[in-house]
């Protein structure tokens, strides 16, 4: 039995090495002035309090310098995206040359497929995870069509074999069966619905052995798990920054291209001037000379304000460190899960894998008979979580700013609602 007292929760908070970080974020308030129990960082991460200063700096420099801000701003705009690279690379476990911040997520997914989905009559399929996020499905189907193939035939979706989850053995079997027809394996590395984290290294090496290219969508992974993108060997990855990376609504996306592709002159690519060699870019010559890094995929000169917001957030990630964050994450999510499962009930179950190595901080609570009342009740009591049709409440105790007390209060409210 786990100690379900409030004192225990407060004790865990008092001993939490990251406890001071909560105070560096704005926690939305309820009408009664108390903090909401915000468990929705998987959908929109909270605002770091330093964000406003970082954006104001750029507003001031724009006012002061006009176009000269490209060189004379405190953080010059010309190389501004480079200020994000090192920390972002650390967060996702990549070499700095393999990471670039640009565009938004679905845009980058398309750009990556332009390079890494190159179907031929014999090998034209895309293998996608079970129940992918709709945008990923739309993007892959439209790419298949773009190349003149039929999504009905060419999109293979994994099937769950362990509750709502998919085992590695199952994926290997599909690859054994269809590997030679699959051009691209594209996995939502942490499934948005179940919270299952797929084993990227094992999947990548197995799929590579079958001759497939491999990419991961880490919208729900970046800032949530240790991804070790470089070591996994995957060809590319994309992610957004407004979920666990707290960079603000609709903010920019990150993109990883493994270094083995950086010098490949035959790779197909959609090009723009910001991907061309920095030394010669402003000679305005007709030839595109790709930068020998992930930056070659940049199209446009990037927007400074969302990058300023991202810099504010990444500075906090640098300070906290992914090791400490993931250590707390396992503890916090495990604690919430144990409290939740302590009392038997017939109203809900958790569909997220119970193995901490196969999930991040998200837990997906499947409600019996798709009865949304439970969700409405906890929402009325100050919880911010989300409901995903047909029958799941998603909660994400985020190690950066959620407390053990948040987890404890949430379970109290769930228990009340159930009884
Ligand atoms: C959140 C999310 C998206 C959203 O895409 P945008 O282009 O940022 O709007 C796409 N795919 C996955 C897997 C997501 O979790």
């Amino acid at each position: 039995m786990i100690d379900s007292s409030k004192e225990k929760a407060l004790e865990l908070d008092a001993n939490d090495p990251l406890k001071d970080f909560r105070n560096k974020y704005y926690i939305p308030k309820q009408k009664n002035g108390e903090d909401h129990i915000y468990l929705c960082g998987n959908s929109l991460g909270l605002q770091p309090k330093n964000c406003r200063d970082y954006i104001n700096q750029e507003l001031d420099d724009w006012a002061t310098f006009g176009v000269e801000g490209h060189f004379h701003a405190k953080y010059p705009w010309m190389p501004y995206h480079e200020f994000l690279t090192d920390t972002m690379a650390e967060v996702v476990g990549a070499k700095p040359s393999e990471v670039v911040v640009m565009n938004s997520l679905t845009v980058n997914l398309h750009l990556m497929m332009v390079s890494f989905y190159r179907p031929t009559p014999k090998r034209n399929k895309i293998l996608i995870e079970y129940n992918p996020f709709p945008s990923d499905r739309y993007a892959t189907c439209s790419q298949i069509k773009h190349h003149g193939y039929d999504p009905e035939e060419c999109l293979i979706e994994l099937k769950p074999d362990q509750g709502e989850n998919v085992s590695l053995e199952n994926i290997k079997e599909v690859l054994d069966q269809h590997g030679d027809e699959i051009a691209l394996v594209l996995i939502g590395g942490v499934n948005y619905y179940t919270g299952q984290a797929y084993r990227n290294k094992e999947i990548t090496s197995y799929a590579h052995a079958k001759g497939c290219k491999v990419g991961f969508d880490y919208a729900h992974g970046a800032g949530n798990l240790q991804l070790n993108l470089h070591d996994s060997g995957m060809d590319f990855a994309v992610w957004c920054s407004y979920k666990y990376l707290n960079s603000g609504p609709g903010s920019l996306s990150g993109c990883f291209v493994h270094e083995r592709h950086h010098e490949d002159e035959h790779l197909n690519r959609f090009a723009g001037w910001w991907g061309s060699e920095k030394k010669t870019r402003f000679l305005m010559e007709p030839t595109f000379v790709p930068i020998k890094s992930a930056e070659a995929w940049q199209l446009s000169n990037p927007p400074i304000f969302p990058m300023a917001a991202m810099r504010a957030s990444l500075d906090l990630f640098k300070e906290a460190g992914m090791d400490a964050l993931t250590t707390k994450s396992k503890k916090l999510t495990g604690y919430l899960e144990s409290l939740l499962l302590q009392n038997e009930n017939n109203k809900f179950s958790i569909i997220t894998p119970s193995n901490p190595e196969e999930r991040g901080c998200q837990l997906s609570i499947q409600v019996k008979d798709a009865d949304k009342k439970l969700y409405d009740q906890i929402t009325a009591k100050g919880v911010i979580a989300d409901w995903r049709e047909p029958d799941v409440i998603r909660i994400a105790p985020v190690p950066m700013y959620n407390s053990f007390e948040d987890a404890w209060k949430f379970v109290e409210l769930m228990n009340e609602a159930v009884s």
Side-chain angles (χ1 to χ4, degrees):
M1 285 289 271
I2 172 171
D3 182 349
S4 62
S5 67
K6 184 168 187 181
E7 289 66 36
K8 181 66 189 176
L10 297 178
E11 181 194 317
L12 288 166
D13 279 330
N15 294 326
D16 169 13
L18 296 179
K19 61 172 179 280
D20 294 338
F21 281 86
R22 179 179 176 88
N23 199 28
K24 296 178 195 282
Y25 291 81
Y26 290 109
I27 313 288
K29 298 265 190 230
Q30 305 181 50
K31 286 209 185 76
N32 64 11
E34 281 178 32
D35 288 350
H36 270 291
I37 300 154
Y38 193 83
L39 297 174
C40 221
N42 56 330
S43 193
L44 183 69
L46 292 179
Q47 182 186 146
K49 288 179 180 168
N50 63 358
C51 183
R52 199 175 293 266
D53 284 345
Y54 282 60
I55 291 179
N56 277 340
Q57 177 75 50
E58 302 317 319
L59 285 169
D60 289 346
D61 286 349
W62 183 21
T64 307
F65 299 110
V67 69
E68 303 277 285
H70 283 101
F71 303 100
H72 299 311
K74 184 169 180 200
Y75 302 98
W77 304 330
M78 190 64 98
Y80 200 99
H81 67 276
E82 297 170 23
F83 305 145
L84 306 167
T85 306
D86 285 354
T87 309
M88 188 61 104
E90 253 177 62
V91 166
V92 298
K95 297 187 178 182
S97 68
E98 294 174 314
V99 166
V100 62
V101 170
M102 59 183 189
N103 312 313
S104 43
L105 170 55
T106 308
V107 175
N108 284 343
L109 186 52
H110 275 296
L111 291 179
M112 289 295 102
M113 284 195 280
V114 163
S115 293
F116 297 107
Y117 175 56
R118 307 291 299 156
T120 63
K122 286 223 169 84
R123 190 189 278 277
N124 50 38
K125 299 193 168 152
I126 300 180
L127 177 67
I128 198 163
E129 97 250 38
Y130 168 60
N131 195 14
F133 192 87
S135 199
D136 299 33
R137 187 191 297 276
Y138 305 152
T140 47
C141 285
S142 63
Q143 285 277 338
I144 290 168
K145 271 200 233 167
H146 172 69
H147 287 282
Y149 295 97
D150 179 1
E152 294 275 328
E153 273 170 39
C154 292
L155 189 71
I156 310 179
E157 184 175 338
L158 289 165
K159 295 276 167 289
D161 60 330
Q162 293 180 337
E164 291 287 309
N165 300 305
V166 184
S167 70
L168 184 61
E169 293 65 43
N170 182 346
I171 298 171
K172 287 182 175 175
E173 272 169 35
V174 173
L175 286 167
D176 285 339
Q177 226 178 343
H178 300 286
D180 58 352
E181 307 157 29
I182 294 172
L184 173 67
V185 175
L186 177 72
I187 305 289
V190 178
N191 182 264
Y192 84 100
Y193 192 78
T194 62
Q196 176 182 11
Y198 285 87
R199 295 181 187 272
N200 60 21
K201 190 168 183 169
E202 286 86 346
I203 294 173
T204 299
S205 56
Y206 208 82
H208 275 167
K210 304 285 178 191
C212 320
K213 289 280 188 278
V214 181
F216 278 75
D217 182 336
Y218 273 119
H220 286 267
N224 178 18
L225 297 173
Q226 299 274 22
L227 301 176
N228 304 319
L229 295 186
H230 175 79
D231 285 345
S232 77
M234 67 180 68
D235 298 286
F236 71 87
V238 291
W239 57 94
C240 63
S241 67
Y242 49 83
K243 291 170 182 166
Y244 294 104
L245 290 178
N246 309 328
S247 302
S251 193
L252 292 157
S253 162
C255 187
F256 162 90
V257 181
H258 195 280
E259 66 180 353
R260 83 174 82 87
H261 298 297
H262 295 179
E263 311 236 359
D264 182 351
E265 286 165 15
H266 303 291
L267 210 58
N268 193 56
R269 178 193 286 120
F270 280 178
W273 74 317
W274 225 252
S276 197
E277 260 316 326
K278 293 171 200 183
K279 283 203 200 79
T280 52
R281 186 188 287 153
F282 284 88
L283 300 178
M284 301 306 205
E285 285 177 344
T287 330
F288 174 77
V289 186
I291 302 171
K292 289 188 167 38
S293 76
E295 291 188 354
W297 277 264
Q298 295 174 113
L299 301 178
S300 300
N301 87 94
I304 299 300
F305 301 127
M307 287 196 311
M310 187 186 278
R311 211 164 59 77
S313 168
L314 288 179
D315 279 358
L316 294 175
F317 271 86
K318 193 179 173 72
E319 201 182 324
M322 282 306 290
D323 281 344
L325 285 165
T326 47
T327 300
K328 175 177 172 186
S329 181
K330 285 187 178 141
K331 206 167 165 185
L332 180 58
T333 295
Y335 171 72
L336 200 163
E337 180 188 39
S338 310
L339 284 182
L340 208 50
L341 297 178
Q342 181 122 293
N343 301 329
E344 290 233 358
N345 79 83
N346 57 5
K347 296 274 171 65
F348 65 81
S349 56
I350 296 175
I351 58 173
T352 306
S354 54
N355 178 355
E357 302 305 318
E358 292 178 36
R359 69 184 186 199
C361 68
Q362 177 184 324
L363 294 175
S364 299
I365 302 170
Q366 188 166 48
V367 178
K368 290 276 144 57
D369 304 323
D371 184 359
K372 202 175 168 189
K373 276 205 288 295
L374 200 57
Y375 171 75
D376 294 335
Q377 266 171 287
I378 57 170
T379 302
K381 292 279 171 69
V383 172
I384 299 184
D386 71 11
W387 175 263
R388 280 287 173 269
E389 294 294 340
D391 59 1
V392 160
I393 300 171
R394 297 188 306 174
I395 53 166
V398 170
M400 184 71 94
Y401 48 73
N402 280 120
S403 61
F404 289 86
E405 191 185 359
D406 282 338
W408 181 84
K409 282 184 185 161
F410 170 78
V411 175
E412 284 287 297
L413 293 174
M414 276 294 276
N415 288 341
E416 252 175 55
V418 163
S419 62

